Amino acid sequence: MAWHVILAISLATLGIVTSATSQPRAILTTTTCDAANPYDSVPDDAALQGCLDNFDQVLLQPDTGPGSHRKAGDDREVGDDRKDNYVGYLVGHTLKLRRDGVLLSSVREPYKATLRATPELAALILRASGVNNYGISFVRFDGDREERTVKNRPCSAIHDYRNVELSGVGYHVMFVESSGAVCGSAMTVGGSSGFEISSSFFYNNGRQPEEADGVTGLWADGLNVFGCNDSTIRDNVFWDNTDVDLGVNGGSGCSVHGNSISHSWKYAFAGLVAGDPTRLGGDFSDNHVWSGYNLLGFGILVGCHPWSQCRGGYASNVSVHGNTSMGAVVNLAVDGLNGGAVEDNVMGFPGGDRVMNCNRAENYTVGHAINVSHLQAGYVVRTYDAGSRCQ
């Protein structure tokens, strides 16, 4: 499919009409931002920021070298698929989306343009705040963790080394990659509604202490969504992140389906975490989790009692059905659910002893579940409350 067809689809998805109509409309402006050069070692953030501030569509040059189509589970080091001297667009200061309706994409899909953190970057690669109806597609966000000067500094409220932070209404993210975050997350979503994140890869983010000379707090999520009202998260692929691969607080009209999570090399605390006391509702279905031995604590966790941040609260009216979880220490755990349903999920082959607040493998456990309309059979009663051993 030609790039302009994908672009037209992307714009139509964003509600931007590209065909002639009888109604007056704004003329869209487009740039390939030639002042930024992905083939040299000079930082490009100033040029890119100027393009994002002044054009409706910013279409960047992609890497078209052999192997540039990364597949799920491909654990090559980021950057080993460069064509000739393609380095990517180097980002030394956080890029900001400031205008409604902006599209950031590749000039030649399905090849992806790379935005790569410079070693000196001590913040995020990109932030969208206070803007709506934007689109990001066919872009690879590379945190380049191993080259960063902050690689051994854990994230905190002051120090934010995640890759991407999004907020707003009605935006679309599709066919992106985010990897190599120092800590925190490959992508976080907050203050948002009516968005969709689809067909994207989140992998190899953060480090566990055994990878970081004993330093704690360097783990990172794949995708962390703090609110999901009237929104969809679908058909994304996650592997070898080191905190939670996909964490979604839920929300009215929230649909999380068709996502795949796997762990072959690195440990994470949980694959999919569904629901949080701050949101009401959410439908989680047809998601698939797989883990090698002792590489994933919880496959699917409904509620979030193992984390102290939840303060013992309950996720409300969350529906979790038709998912699979294989090989985690605990494949499915319900701990902190008020209302909703857990049914028709398939679990198997639990193993290992590395799970939060516990050291015992189990296929399916339930604790702190009240007013649930349907709870599938076959569980063992167990809680994982933060600060105490499992019971």
Side-chain angles (χ1 to χ4, degrees):
M1 185 180 293
W3 74 265
H4 61 276
V5 175
I6 286 285
L7 178 58
I9 292 172
S10 301
L11 293 174
T13 304
L14 294 172
I16 300 172
V17 179
T18 59
S19 60
T21 69
S22 58
Q23 299 297 320
R25 62 181 178 85
I27 296 175
L28 298 179
T29 57
T30 301
T31 183
T32 53
C33 204
D34 294 339
N37 184 356
Y39 294 94
D40 63 21
S41 59
V42 178
D44 299 293
D45 45 271
L48 291 172
Q49 190 63 63
C51 292
L52 290 169
D53 288 345
N54 291 285
F55 291 88
D56 301 310
Q57 302 168 16
V58 180
L59 308 180
L60 302 179
Q61 297 294 332
D63 180 7
T64 57
S68 56
H69 293 296
R70 193 178 299 275
K71 296 180 173 61
D74 185 345
D75 287 302
R76 294 168 298 164
E77 286 299 315
V78 173
D80 61 5
D81 57 3
R82 301 169 190 170
K83 179 183 179 182
D84 297 325
N85 61 333
Y86 187 92
V87 176
Y89 296 88
L90 300 180
V91 178
H93 295 86
T94 300
L95 298 173
K96 301 178 179 67
L97 298 188
R98 296 175 171 139
R99 302 169 66 247
D100 289 353
V102 168
L103 174 66
L104 174 62
S105 190
S106 165
V107 75
R108 187 182 172 190
E109 56 46 69
Y111 296 104
K112 293 169 183 169
T114 297
L115 297 180
R116 176 171 284 110
T118 64
E120 298 76 22
L121 180 65
L124 322 111
I125 297 174
L126 181 139
R127 173 183 285 124
S129 179
V131 291
N132 304 310
N133 300 314
Y134 55 87
I136 305 173
S137 62
F138 299 106
V139 174
R140 178 182 295 142
F141 297 96
D142 176 7
D144 208 11
R145 177 185 60 241
E146 297 307 314
E147 301 301 321
R148 298 277 288 280
T149 57
V150 297
K151 63 176 284 188
N152 291 322
R153 299 181 193 175
C155 289
S156 66
I158 300 174
H159 303 109
D160 184 359
Y161 309 131
R162 72 190 80 182
N163 280 358
V164 180
E165 181 180 288
L166 305 178
S167 65
V169 177
Y171 58 85
H172 289 74
V173 176
M174 52 188 176
F175 304 109
V176 306
E177 298 182 22
S178 190
S179 66
V182 172
C183 53
S185 184
M187 182 178 290
T188 59
V189 171
S192 299
S193 63
F195 65 86
E196 179 172 304
I197 299 174
S198 64
S199 304
S200 296
F201 292 168
F202 304 87
Y203 57 93
N204 186 26
N205 291 287
R207 289 181 293 165
Q208 288 289 344
E210 59 264 29
E211 302 175 73
D213 298 325
V215 178
T216 62
L218 291 172
W219 38 74
D221 303 313
L223 173 60
N224 198 351
V225 180
F226 293 103
C228 179
N229 290 329
D230 300 317
S231 300
T232 300
I233 300 162
R234 64 174 179 85
D235 302 323
N236 301 290
V237 182
F238 303 80
W239 68 91
D240 289 326
N241 301 292
T242 53
D243 194 344
V244 172
D245 289 281
L246 174 58
V248 183
N249 285 7
S252 176
C254 173
S255 177
V256 180
H257 65 268
N259 301 286
S260 297
I261 297 167
S262 64
H263 279 262
S264 299
W265 304 105
K266 294 188 175 186
Y267 175 83
F269 301 106
L272 171 62
V273 177
D276 177 275
T278 64
R279 292 291 185 273
L280 176 69
D283 185 90
F284 298 77
S285 64
D286 194 34
N287 301 290
H288 305 283
V289 181
W290 175 89
S291 175
Y293 182 78
N294 231 13
L295 291 177
L296 194 55
F298 298 105
I300 300 173
L301 175 62
V302 185
C304 59
H305 271 219
W307 277 274
S308 59
Q309 294 92 326
C310 290
R311 299 182 177 87
Y314 285 75
S316 301
N317 295 332
V318 173
S319 177
V320 180
H321 59 98
N323 305 285
T324 63
S325 180
M326 300 286 174
V329 181
V330 178
N331 279 312
L332 173 61
V334 179
D335 200 0
L337 177 62
N338 181 359
V342 177
E343 53 192 334
D344 301 324
N345 301 287
V346 177
M347 299 81 68
F349 308 106
D353 58 6
R354 191 175 180 181
V355 65
M356 292 181 69
N357 311 321
C358 201
N359 61 0
R360 291 179 285 156
E362 191 60 64
N363 209 36
Y364 171 33
T365 68
V366 173
H368 299 120
I370 57 177
N371 305 317
V372 179
S373 63
H374 186 82
L375 195 61
Q376 70 183 80
Y379 59 84
V380 170
V381 176
R382 185 186 294 176
T383 61
Y384 303 92
D385 287 345
S388 63
R389 300 299 297 170
C390 62
Q391 299 180 8

